Amino acid sequence: MNNTKQKIIQHSLVLFNENGISKASLRDIAKQADISVGNLQYHFKKREDIVELLYFELVDKLDNITALKTDDILKSFINIGSESITIFYDYRFFFLDFISIIRQHDKIKNHYSELSKHRKDSFLEMIDMLIDHGLFRKEELKGEYQSVYKRIEVISNFWFSSILIQSKTLSKKAIDDYSLVISQSVYPYLTEEGRVHYKRMFNEQVL
Amino acid sequence: MNNTKQKIIQHSLVLFNENGISKASLRDIAKQADISVGNLQYHFKKREDIVELLYFELVDKLDNITALKTDDILKSFINIGSESITIFYDYRFFFLDFISIIRQHDKIKNHYSELSKHRKDSFLEMIDMLIDHGLFRKEELKGEYQSVYKRIEVISNFWFSSILIQSKTLSKKAIDDYSLVISQSVYPYLTEEGRVHYKRMFNEQVL
DNA sequence: AACAAAGTAGTACACTTGTACTAATCAAAA
DNA sequence: TTTTGATTAGTACAAGTGTACTACTTTGTT
């Protein structure tokens, strides 16, 4: 990608993450990237093109999460979550402005919808494997693990928003907090054997 | 409250809920309420005053959730959640624009922060009661129920946002979906006796 | 009836925004 | 070297926004 173009999206990302998309005017971005507004417009015909490009950058990075095939399947299950949220953090503007973006970009909306479906399928597949390995218990309610996924989905999409509501700023600590909350949310579904693994992984103090 | 003022906030709420705060200009609101912009400005010096007033309306309604002291304590536990989310729905603009509101209104941010703390305390008290009654199991991880609350908090705050990401519009069905997801999220913490109650309440098909 | 206060309408202004447009500069190929 | 196309800067404009301001109308009190 062009050097200038690179500079633009790089600085856009910073501005977006800091104060939200709506607070970053084209003039702000141009100034930050140390180029003229005319130049900015030359590279991005429409303002929203920047957002789209950043979104698909995010998607790319998510696609490249390798399952990290450890022999410990529970560990890689948890790892995928951690890696995802780490990428989310880098593009947090997207999640902080989720609704307004979705309302404006049908393309992004549709794409993310599809992406979520895939992620859900992968999740459920992984759960099946974990059940087969005797680490997770079987479903006791109808659609129980779908419901588990739904919860994790909401929490991951809006974790940073949730943090920002209560604290002044957002830091990388939010990533670890997320991992803790998610792993704890999964704990009750573990079998005896699964809990042994869990304990080993987190050195969690089981009461 | 004044009749005109009432009309303003009523129509503001509709517009806000439909397309988000940022898409509702003062002229839009005035037009919708069938008054002049001048008149609108007479009643609300600053645009943000409307938002604040609506927010405190929401808070008022939340305060008035009576515990509905059924003899069934599990039922009233679930009921509080349902009633909350029903009120949330009426003021959904607030949750759909959560971050931008928070960024703009320190007053609201601080207030909601406090409110959340109270809600958390109430939640944990209720859990203690449920444990005492033998319906919930004891904590097995450190801060386990705090983590449960955190999850419920995020999900309730961003449930409607989450729905809107995937579907075209928002309907009251979202309320029931929420109740299902939340009750399922609590199920694994129930004791044997608790699960009997649960089954009775929801006629849930336990596999 | 008179009058003060509250309520209402309409206009105007200053500011910001996205973006269209033109001219200047640069890079590279012929 | 010339020339062509890509890149950059700067200016201008139209639209929309919040809000200040003035004048008119209604209401209620004395």
Side-chain angles (χ1 to χ4, degrees):
Chain A
M1 183 162 18
N2 188 317
N3 193 358
T4 306
K5 210 165 174 178
Q6 193 77 41
K7 238 182 6 179
I8 292 170
I9 63 163
Q10 176 190 326
H11 286 102
S12 294
L13 181 58
V14 172
L15 285 180
F16 289 174
N17 278 342
E18 261 173 16
N19 304 314
I21 295 182
S22 62
K23 290 290 172 201
S25 69
L26 294 186
R27 285 165 180 77
D28 290 337
I29 297 172
K31 195 175 176 185
Q32 185 84 4
D34 203 27
I35 60 172
S36 68
V37 180
N39 195 6
L40 173 58
Q41 231 225 317
Y42 171 77
H43 284 93
F44 293 93
K45 209 73 189 142
K46 312 205 84 185
R47 167 206 171 71
E48 306 307 331
D49 294 345
I50 303 177
V51 176
E52 263 190 29
L53 199 149
L54 281 171
Y55 168 72
F56 284 106
E57 249 189 42
L58 160 66
V59 171
D60 256 8
K61 299 203 176 174
L62 287 178
D63 278 344
N64 287 335
I65 293 181
T66 50
L68 270 189
K69 288 283 181 211
T70 328
D71 24 349
D72 192 339
I73 182 177
L74 180 59
K75 193 162 193 170
S76 53
F77 175 75
I78 296 287
N79 272 347
I80 290 176
S82 299
E83 288 192 43
S84 296
I85 201 73
T86 303
I87 296 171
F88 281 21
Y89 181 79
D90 291 337
Y91 294 84
R92 53 196 176 279
F93 81 93
F94 178 73
F95 302 95
L96 295 173
D97 273 328
F98 219 144
I99 294 301
S100 73
I101 291 176
I102 284 299
R103 276 177 162 147
Q104 213 158 70
H105 300 81
D106 268 10
K107 191 174 169 188
I108 293 181
K109 173 171 182 169
N110 294 330
H111 187 276
Y112 197 78
S113 240
E114 284 306 310
L115 186 63
S116 294
K117 278 181 200 157
H118 289 136
R119 288 171 73 83
K120 179 182 179 180
D121 291 342
S122 305
F123 177 88
L124 293 176
E125 271 175 34
M126 202 129 193
I127 292 286
D128 281 343
M129 282 177 57
L130 286 159
I131 293 174
D132 283 346
H133 282 65
L135 297 172
F136 270 56
R137 68 160 170 78
K138 294 213 178 101
E139 275 200 351
E140 292 182 17
L141 301 175
K142 212 172 129 191
E144 192 171 21
Y145 283 120
Q146 293 215 11
S147 171
V148 171
Y149 177 74
K150 185 72 195 166
R151 266 133 52 198
I152 291 182
E153 188 189 32
V154 177
I155 293 173
S156 65
N157 282 336
F158 295 101
W159 182 253
F160 299 124
S161 297
S162 181
I163 300 282
L164 208 55
I165 287 170
Q166 315 235 19
S167 65
K168 205 78 194 166
T169 55
L170 208 52
S171 76
K172 289 208 168 189
K173 180 173 174 299
I175 296 175
D176 295 331
D177 292 343
Y178 171 83
S179 296
L180 177 65
V181 166
I182 291 301
S183 57
Q184 287 213 357
S185 83
V186 143
Y187 172 83
Y189 299 95
L190 293 173
T191 58
E192 282 303 320
E193 192 190 340
R195 293 179 190 209
V196 174
H197 276 64
Y198 184 92
K199 201 172 164 183
R200 199 189 309 141
M201 268 179 64
F202 294 106
N203 280 331
E204 188 84 44
Q205 181 177 353
V206 179
L207 302 183
Chain B
M1 184 163 15
N2 187 318
N3 192 358
T4 305
K5 210 165 174 177
Q6 191 80 39
K7 243 188 353 185
I8 293 171
I9 63 163
Q10 175 189 328
H11 286 103
S12 293
L13 181 59
V14 172
L15 286 179
F16 289 173
N17 279 342
E18 262 173 15
N19 304 313
I21 294 181
S22 61
K23 290 291 172 201
S25 70
L26 294 186
R27 284 164 181 79
D28 290 337
I29 297 172
K31 195 176 175 184
Q32 184 84 1
D34 201 28
I35 61 173
S36 68
V37 180
N39 194 7
L40 174 59
Q41 231 225 319
Y42 172 76
H43 284 94
F44 292 93
K45 209 74 190 140
K46 312 206 84 186
R47 167 205 171 71
E48 306 307 331
D49 293 346
I50 303 178
V51 175
E52 263 190 30
L53 198 148
L54 280 171
Y55 167 73
F56 284 107
E57 247 189 44
L58 160 66
V59 170
D60 256 8
K61 298 203 175 172
L62 287 179
D63 278 344
N64 286 333
I65 294 181
T66 49
L68 271 187
K69 287 284 182 210
T70 328
D71 26 350
D72 192 340
I73 183 176
L74 180 58
K75 193 162 194 168
S76 52
F77 175 74
I78 297 287
N79 272 347
I80 290 177
S82 300
E83 288 191 44
S84 296
I85 202 72
T86 304
I87 296 171
F88 281 21
Y89 181 80
D90 291 336
Y91 293 84
R92 55 196 174 279
F93 81 93
F94 178 72
F95 301 94
L96 295 173
D97 276 327
F98 217 144
I99 294 301
S100 72
I101 291 176
I102 285 299
R103 275 177 163 148
Q104 212 159 69
H105 299 81
D106 269 10
K107 190 175 171 188
I108 293 181
K109 173 169 183 172
N110 293 331
H111 187 276
Y112 197 78
S113 241
E114 284 305 310
L115 186 62
S116 294
K117 279 182 199 156
H118 288 134
R119 290 172 72 84
K120 180 180 179 181
D121 290 342
S122 304
F123 176 88
L124 292 177
E125 272 176 31
M126 203 130 194
I127 292 285
D128 280 343
M129 282 178 59
L130 285 158
I131 293 175
D132 284 346
H133 282 66
L135 297 172
F136 269 57
R137 68 160 171 77
K138 295 212 177 102
E139 275 200 351
E140 292 183 15
L141 301 175
K142 211 172 131 191
E144 192 169 21
Y145 282 119
Q146 294 216 10
S147 172
V148 171
Y149 177 75
K150 186 72 196 166
R151 266 134 52 198
I152 292 181
E153 188 189 32
V154 177
I155 294 173
S156 64
N157 281 338
F158 295 101
W159 182 253
F160 298 124
S161 297
S162 182
I163 300 282
L164 208 56
I165 288 170
Q166 316 236 18
S167 66
K168 204 79 194 166
T169 55
L170 209 53
S171 74
K172 289 207 168 189
K173 181 174 172 300
I175 296 174
D176 294 331
D177 292 344
Y178 172 83
S179 296
L180 177 66
V181 167
I182 292 301
S183 56
Q184 288 212 357
S185 84
V186 142
Y187 172 83
Y189 300 94
L190 293 172
T191 58
E192 283 302 320
E193 191 190 342
R195 293 178 190 210
V196 174
H197 276 63
Y198 183 92
K199 203 172 162 182
R200 199 190 307 142
M201 268 180 64
F202 293 107
N203 280 330
E204 186 84 43
Q205 181 178 352
V206 179
L207 303 182

